[in-house]
Amino acid sequence: MAFKIVSMSPLPPQFVEALFDPYKKEVGDLKVVSVAGLPRERVLEELRNADVVIGDYTFQMRIDAEMCAAMESVRLVQQPSTGYDHIDVEACARHGVPVANAGGANAVSVAEYTIMAALALLKRLLYAHRETVAGGWPQWRLMEMGTFDLQGKTWGIIGLGRIGREVAKRLRPFGVRIVYFDKVRMEDAERELGVEYRSLSRLLRESDVVSIHVPLTSETRGMIGEGELRMMKPTAVLINPSRGEIVDEEALARAVRERWIAGAAVDVYSREPPPPDHPLIRAAGEADVNLILTPHIAGANTDARSRIIQFSIENVVRVLKGGKPEAVVNMRL
């Protein structure tokens, strides 16, 4: 009897099934059924006799409590991304269904993006490019505005998980002092990475660069609001490649427009894609605003996507062979 995999991805089921071809000698026959765009009742019906569910990497198709309850024989929900806030992981846990994400498959990619964004903000790279292409020569204007080195600065990492650690590793050659905040102090990581623990408020006050690397949870939603942004130095920059809802977007737009801080780079939004009247979109259109906006690409480059797909497929195969899944986010196995 063939294993049944329900895919919530918009990818054609034939494509998803082909990804398992190298493993068919190990697991035998399997069938992939796509439920993207199907009526809810049909989705619930397909879930009832599924062995594995592959989540939607576009985050459009949510997995709610009713869907979790329908997963009568599901051994794993594998989300092919780092983020999983569109899945009711607690409901899945109550029904004994483990949910796994793609672990640190894109940690290096997000870390590289974060450092790139910081350098671009400190050097005001976008402004220099725009003005030069437009026929200007903004050399003296940039001197007046101020451009800075990363060396000698203090970098604050919010969230010292896989991505936060990769950022810390790559910062070593730049000669920066690294401080971090996490809900749990990590003394082993402090020794290994040469980082110093700070409370969130102290980190914000001390840092020249602040980067956010925490998942979206009830604790982190709205973590950075107007009060926190006003704690930062007026010369500091903020980078958010994590989740849009962690930062008050309206407050951040005001912060860069009114120069509470020197700049920001944002890769994620509370609504994706952001509408034309989004406060950050409006702020980015103003002259001299040091704001970089990108379309949720920090962890989605070609190399990262390959690693995410490989990890997700191998994790599903591991479970179908009777093993325990890796990177489970909702329960101990």
Side-chain angles (χ1 to χ4, degrees), residues 19-28 30 310 313-314 317:
L19 295 173
F20 288 95
D21 283 348
Y23 304 95
K24 284 192 174 178
K25 287 185 179 179
E26 300 178 50
V27 299
L30 55 83
Q310 188 69 20
I313 297 301
E314 289 180 355
V317 169

Side-chain angles (χ1 to χ4, degrees), residues 233-255:
K233 300 177 183 179
T235 54
V237 298
L238 177 74
I239 303 159
N240 183 17
S242 187
R243 282 294 180 267
E245 294 91 335
I246 293 168
V247 178
D248 182 329
E249 294 166 318
E250 186 71 52
L252 180 58
R254 287 185 60 206

Side-chain angles (χ1 to χ4, degrees), residues 1-8 13 16-17 20 24 27-35 38 41-55 70-78 316-317 319-321:
M1 183 176 176
F3 290 115
K4 179 180 177 181
I5 298 173
V6 168
S7 171
M8 296 187 169
V16 178
E17 195 165 312
F20 288 95
K24 284 192 174 178
V27 299
D29 293 333
L30 55 83
K31 178 183 180 183
V32 175
V33 177
S34 175
V35 296
L38 293 182
E41 284 306 314
R42 177 71 186 284
V43 173
L44 294 172
E45 179 184 336
E46 295 291 354
L47 288 173
R48 288 190 179 95
N49 62 352
D51 296 289
V52 170
V53 174
I54 297 178
M71 297 179 188
E72 298 170 0
S73 58
V74 170
R75 308 185 201 179
L76 173 69
V77 173
Q78 176 63 53
V316 170
V317 169
V319 168
L320 293 180
K321 290 171 63 178

